[in-house]
Amino acid sequence: MKTNKLIVRILVGILSSVILSFSLFYMLSNYELKKTINKVNIMFYSEKIDTIINSLKTKYDKLQRTQLPDSYEYSFKQFSVKELRIIHYDNKSKDVRKIYPFIINENKLFKMHPIFDKTQSEKYQSRDDFKKILKSKNGNFYTEILGVKKWIIYRHFKPWDWIVGYSIPLDIKYEEVNEFNQKYLILLFITMILMLIVTVSIVNYILRPIKELIRASKKIASGNLEHNIVINNSSYEFIQLTENFTIMKNKLKSNIHKLKDQVNERTKDLEASNSELKNSISNLKNMQEQLIESEKMASLGGLVSGVAHEINTPVGVALTGITHFQEITTKIKKDYDNEDISEEEFEKYLNTSNELSNIINTNLKRTADLVKSFKQVAVDQTSEKKRKFNVKVYLEEIITSIKNVLRQYKVKINVNVLEEIIINSYPGFYSQIITNLIFNSLRHAYEKEDEGLIDIEVSKVEDNILIEYSDDGKGIKEENLKKIFDPFFTTNREKGGTGLGLNIIYNIIKSNLNGEIICTSKENEGVKFTITLPREIDKEKDSHENI
């Protein structure tokens, strides 16, 4: 089959070369023949037009010799055209495929034409070819009349302002070219047949010993290294080829034995390497799990630090208020014991006590709310239990828990939940997703002194919720966009980036929450994460198995 393909390729190559050569010769010959025919036709039909113009000039000269040329001009013109019609239109056929002369008079009407007359002016006066004749008055061009391609040649007869021309169908003009083409195609066909016969004979003669070599090589390839290679051809080249094949066969036989020994040795080495590789993979997985847990604990540590800072202010205010309350209470008791208290001082004490108790109550309630918020977020991040929660309220609790970090940047966070959304899911996972996205923006999208805006928009879409997170920071380079969810990929390692933040988000969304995340970004135009998550998780999953 492969030999046959080789024969076909050789035949196609030779025949293609022949066809290409004949085609080039044909194109050049055809071009030169047409060029010659064009010159001959221009000379021939120019002479015929000159004959008609000379006839008209004779009539014009006779008219000028009369005593009343203006009176007889119309009669002379009519007689001249009638005479030309008799000479050139010997029958009444109006076949546009024939060669015929025509005359256009000074009124831009056909004075002589086998198809059109002056009563049919609307049929031809709007034609582009007719306008071209009137405009140039002398020349030639190609056109199409009633579906027939024609060559038009014409000259101007100035005395009467007539245009005399000839219309010649192209198939008649190039009749010799068409005959040449037919003969050439017949010659090409005969040549191709002969070339095909000769080529097949030569190729078969050359490829016969190659076929024998192929049969021998197949036997050797099947494992029969004892087969002797014999080629029935006395050509020096094929004798050398046969000897070289025999040498190759013997070397192959020797190399197979060596290869078997090497394979046995390599197999033992591979088994040992495979065992080491399994241990390395196991260690790498353990290291990855530890790094992920470290990342989660670092996030929780930031949460603790932030809440501690938030609590510090209201607790400090409450402590100051209580201290002041104790001082004024001790003083009023002392004055009371000494019976040195006035009604005005007692009223002042009561007013001050009321103000202090309000201040203490307000700040302790603020502290309780912060502790409650921190407790809920912290428990969610560590327990990963499923429960119902309000998305907007929970997002605000998450933002509150990291305010201490946010104060270090000039970045505002805008949370927009289009409607009240209650979902039954894992709030801890949501906390990790939002926290990691915000920290990722702060670390990579902005410098400390940059002002920026982070938008978090949440909406319901059928049975899912759609979270659209975007910032207006530095954006992501196009070559990095496909790698951002890969573990350990980071562009900020010198500042402590581990490359696990977005990978944790990706695994939580895909594996734990059965959702989808898409990132779009352009450099210096910010980044946008589009996250689709189900509102109801049917089965509880152990996150430690999936992250």
Side-chain angles (χ1 to χ4, degrees):
M1 185 66 180
K2 291 182 179 177
T3 307
N4 292 337
K5 288 183 179 178
L6 180 60
I7 292 173
V8 171
R9 287 200 296 271
I10 294 172
L11 290 175
V12 169
I14 294 173
L15 293 177
S16 298
S17 301
V18 173
I19 291 171
L20 182 61
S21 302
F22 271 81
S23 299
L24 290 172
F25 177 75
Y26 165 75
M27 290 170 65
L28 291 172
S29 302
N30 199 282
Y31 172 76
E32 291 297 329
L33 183 58
K34 280 189 175 182
K35 190 175 176 183
T36 304
I37 288 172
N38 286 337
K39 288 182 180 178
V40 171
N41 273 275
I42 288 173
M43 292 174 60
F44 177 73
Y45 286 102
S46 293
E47 290 177 1
K48 291 180 77 88
I49 291 172
D50 287 341
T51 301
I52 295 174
I53 289 176
N54 288 335
S55 173
L56 294 174
K57 192 172 186 309
T58 302
K59 299 294 187 298
Y60 176 76
D61 292 340
K62 284 182 182 181
L63 174 63
Q64 295 304 312
R65 286 196 293 272
T66 63
Q67 294 179 351
L68 299 169
D70 293 337
S71 300
Y72 292 113
E73 184 177 18
Y74 178 76
S75 300
F76 266 75
K77 287 180 178 178
Q78 292 295 103
F79 178 76
S80 299
V81 172
K82 184 177 181 182
E83 192 177 68
L84 289 171
R85 282 181 177 276
I86 293 170
I87 295 170
H88 296 285
Y89 298 166
D90 54 353
N91 57 56
K92 295 183 179 180
S93 172
K94 294 186 177 182
D95 190 351
V96 296
R97 291 171 294 179
K98 291 187 176 182
I99 300 171
Y100 57 80
F102 62 86
I103 296 174
I104 301 173
N105 67 12
E106 69 277 11
N107 297 320
K108 300 179 181 179
L109 299 172
F110 275 120
K111 190 75 176 175
M112 186 176 80
H113 196 283
I115 300 171
F116 303 117
D117 57 35
K118 61 183 180 181
T119 64
Q120 299 172 307
S121 60
E122 72 280 355
K123 291 185 178 179
Y124 58 80
Q125 284 185 333
S126 61
R127 290 177 59 89
D128 291 336
D129 48 13
F130 187 78
K131 292 176 182 177
K132 187 174 182 179
I133 294 170
L134 294 176
K135 183 178 180 181
S136 58
K137 296 185 184 293
N138 290 288
N140 66 89
F141 62 87
Y142 295 96
T143 186
E144 187 173 311
I145 301 174
L146 301 178
V148 178
K149 292 182 179 179
K150 313 202 82 171
W151 177 58
I152 308 296
I153 183 169
Y154 50 94
R155 295 266 304 278
H156 185 217
F157 179 57
K158 291 183 180 179
W160 286 342
D161 193 22
W162 285 8
I163 297 173
V164 180
Y166 260 88
S167 174
I168 303 98
L170 288 186
D171 57 351
I172 295 176
K173 180 184 178 185
Y174 293 123
E175 189 172 7
E176 294 179 5
V177 176
N178 295 332
E179 290 178 2
F180 169 78
N181 290 342
Q182 291 176 359
K183 291 177 181 177
Y184 190 86
L185 288 173
I186 293 171
L187 176 63
L188 177 62
F189 179 74
I190 294 171
T191 304
M192 292 294 295
I193 295 296
L194 293 174
M195 286 293 297
L196 186 63
I197 294 170
V198 171
T199 304
V200 169
S201 301
I202 293 172
V203 169
N204 278 330
Y205 175 77
I206 294 172
L207 293 182
R208 191 177 299 113
I210 294 177
K211 289 179 181 179
E212 294 177 5
L213 277 175
I214 290 173
R215 283 194 291 271
S217 65
K218 282 183 178 179
K219 290 183 179 180
I220 293 171
S222 65
N224 185 7
L225 297 177
E226 306 301 328
H227 178 74
N228 292 323
I229 302 172
V230 180
I231 303 297
N232 296 320
N233 193 295
S234 58
S235 298
Y236 173 78
E237 290 80 3
F238 283 107
I239 291 172
Q240 287 295 312
L241 189 60
T242 303
E243 291 176 355
N244 290 336
F245 258 96
T246 303
I247 292 170
M248 288 169 60
K249 182 195 73 170
N250 293 333
K251 284 187 177 181
L252 181 63
K253 191 175 179 180
S254 173
N255 289 336
I256 285 174
H257 293 297
K258 292 180 181 178
L259 186 61
K260 285 181 178 179
D261 295 335
Q262 290 177 358
V263 167
N264 290 331
E265 292 177 7
R266 291 289 176 86
T267 301
K268 293 177 182 178
D269 293 339
L270 284 173
E271 287 175 351
S273 299
N274 190 39
S275 177
E276 292 178 4
L277 184 61
K278 285 181 179 179
N279 291 332
S280 298
I281 291 172
S282 177
N283 293 333
L284 184 62
K285 284 183 178 179
N286 292 333
M287 186 183 298
Q288 184 175 352
E289 288 175 1
Q290 291 172 6
L291 283 170
I292 290 172
E293 285 300 316
S294 298
E295 187 79 10
K296 289 165 67 177
M297 289 301 105
S299 175
L300 189 60
L303 179 64
V304 172
S305 174
V307 171
H309 187 276
E310 288 293 318
I311 289 174
N312 185 58
T313 300
V315 168
V317 172
L319 182 60
T320 302
I322 290 172
T323 302
H324 184 50
F325 185 69
Q326 285 178 334
E327 289 175 355
I328 63 173
T329 301
T330 302
K331 184 177 181 304
I332 201 70
K333 183 177 182 303
K334 182 179 178 182
D335 291 340
Y336 175 76
D337 290 339
N338 296 330
E339 296 182 355
D340 187 20
I341 183 170
S342 65
E343 184 178 350
E344 182 182 348
E345 286 177 334
F346 188 71
E347 287 179 359
K348 183 179 178 182
Y349 167 76
L350 292 176
N351 291 334
T352 303
S353 299
N354 185 54
E355 290 176 7
L356 287 174
S357 63
N358 287 335
I359 291 171
I360 294 167
N361 181 62
T362 300
N363 282 275
L364 289 178
K365 282 182 68 179
R366 172 65 179 155
T367 303
D369 290 340
L370 287 170
V371 170
K372 181 181 177 183
S373 174
F374 161 70
K375 180 182 176 183
Q376 188 61 69
V377 174
V379 168
D380 286 337
Q381 283 197 3
T382 54
S383 67
E384 296 170 353
K385 289 184 179 180
K386 178 180 171 185
R387 66 179 175 86
K388 288 186 179 182
F389 59 94
N390 185 305
V391 174
K392 182 177 182 180
V393 172
Y394 195 66
L395 288 179
E396 290 173 347
E397 289 178 352
I398 294 171
I399 303 302
T400 299
S401 68
I402 59 172
K403 271 189 177 179
N404 183 46
V405 177
L406 295 176
R407 283 199 183 96
Q408 302 172 32
Y409 296 85
K410 297 178 181 179
V411 179
K412 294 181 180 179
I413 298 180
N414 177 37
V415 177
N416 183 20
V417 181
L418 301 180
E419 55 185 307
E420 184 172 331
I421 303 174
I422 307 296
I423 63 173
N424 187 19
S425 189
Y426 298 88
F429 291 147
Y430 280 77
S431 174
Q432 289 183 55
I433 291 169
I434 299 302
T435 303
N436 282 358
L437 285 175
I438 293 173
F439 286 173
N440 186 72
S441 292
L442 296 178
R443 288 171 185 164
H444 299 280
Y446 305 102
E447 300 295 337
K448 282 274 179 112
E449 64 277 3
D450 291 345
E451 292 185 358
L453 177 65
I454 295 174
D455 275 315
I456 305 173
E457 189 168 296
V458 185
S459 59
K460 283 196 292 188
V461 180
E462 297 179 351
D463 294 331
N464 300 317
I465 65 166
L466 181 67
I467 302 175
E468 294 177 296
Y469 176 96
S470 61
D471 66 45
D472 58 355
K474 297 176 182 177
I476 302 171
K477 292 182 179 179
E478 185 177 354
E479 61 267 25
N480 294 334
L481 202 56
K482 294 181 180 178
K483 300 184 284 185
I484 58 170
F485 295 120
D486 294 348
F488 307 111
F489 174 78
T490 180
T491 57
N492 201 19
R493 200 173 299 281
E494 66 278 3
K495 293 185 180 180
T498 62
L500 289 172
L502 291 179
N503 177 253
I504 291 173
I505 292 172
Y506 182 83
N507 284 331
I508 288 172
I509 291 170
K510 296 286 286 187
S511 302
N512 297 83
L513 298 179
N514 300 328
E516 297 289 336
I517 180 170
I518 299 171
C519 177
T520 55
S521 178
K522 287 185 179 179
E523 196 171 3
N524 299 320
E525 293 185 17
V527 68
K528 181 177 181 179
F529 291 92
T530 303
I531 304 170
T532 305
L533 298 169
R535 283 191 285 160
E536 180 77 26
I537 301 292
D538 293 332
K539 278 187 177 179
E540 292 196 8
K541 296 182 180 181
D542 184 5
S543 62
H544 297 291
E545 293 177 359
N546 295 312
I547 295 183

